[in-house]
Amino acid sequence: MDGDHSIERCEEVTDAALETVFDALFLHRVRLEGMVLKPNMVIAGKKCAKQAGPQQVAEATIRCLRRRVPGAVPGIAFLSGGQSETDATLHLSLMNRLGDLPWELSFSYGRALQQSTLDAWKGKPGNVTAAQKAFLRRARLNGLARDGSYEAAMEQAAA
């Protein structure tokens, strides 16, 4: 995520990694129906001069997953991979809008779920309520992204 690689290079590497993972899973006779895949999204590195737009990220990610992830996998829970909260949420929502996917798409975010909570809390006991509200807000927005109904404009409305 911190490199200068293009989105195209990220897609190539993600494709190769997923191919290796599923080859090993098949070799070891892992029942795919019992797993949740936690991959990265296909994005350009932060230092890349040409950043991909949200729709391009969604399409590249889904294209890569369709190519390598069997439909027997029931769920994919994305890592945020250093993306901002709003970017990770928007990318997930756009992917879910692409429809007719063989897997459920959800999130397993760290920073992209907790950053606004930590910013509100600041380690001060008096900020706990504000931090809880920030966390609930972010969780609700990610929940909307989970079914493709999140819109970027909701960031202002939900604030």
Side-chain angles (χ1 to χ4, degrees), residues 1-2 5-19 21-22 35-45 56-69 75-83 87-88 91-92 95 103 105-110:
M1 71 181 176
D2 293 326
H5 58 276
S6 67
I7 188 171
E8 293 83 8
R9 179 67 178 144
C10 184
E11 186 172 353
E12 290 170 10
V13 172
T14 301
D15 185 83
L18 289 172
E19 180 179 29
V21 165
F22 283 98
M35 70 175 283
V36 174
L37 181 67
K38 289 179 64 172
N40 58 286
M41 291 182 194
V42 176
I43 59 174
Q56 186 181 6
V57 169
E59 290 171 2
T61 303
I62 294 300
R63 182 174 51 248
C64 189
L65 295 173
R66 283 188 191 276
R67 195 180 304 123
R68 297 295 176 195
V69 180
I76 298 174
F78 287 98
L79 302 168
S80 54
Q83 297 176 75
D87 286 349
H91 293 151
L92 177 62
M95 283 186 271
W103 343 266
L105 301 183
S106 192
F107 59 93
S108 180
Y109 299 158

Side-chain angles (χ1 to χ4, degrees), residues 17-50:
L18 289 172
E19 180 179 29
T20 300
V21 165
F22 283 98
D23 284 350
L25 292 173
F26 285 123
L27 181 67
H28 294 284
R29 298 178 181 211
V30 172
R31 289 193 59 226
L32 301 181
E33 296 85 354
M35 70 175 283
V36 174
L37 181 67
K38 289 179 64 172
N40 58 286
M41 291 182 194
V42 176
I43 59 174
K46 288 183 180 180
K47 295 178 186 172
C48 182
K50 182 182 175 198

Side-chain angles (χ1 to χ4, degrees), residues 90-105:
L90 180 57
H91 293 151
L92 177 62
S93 190
L94 291 171
M95 283 186 271
N96 274 306
R97 284 186 210 158
L98 292 174
D100 195 30
L101 302 173
W103 343 266
E104 294 292 321
L105 301 183

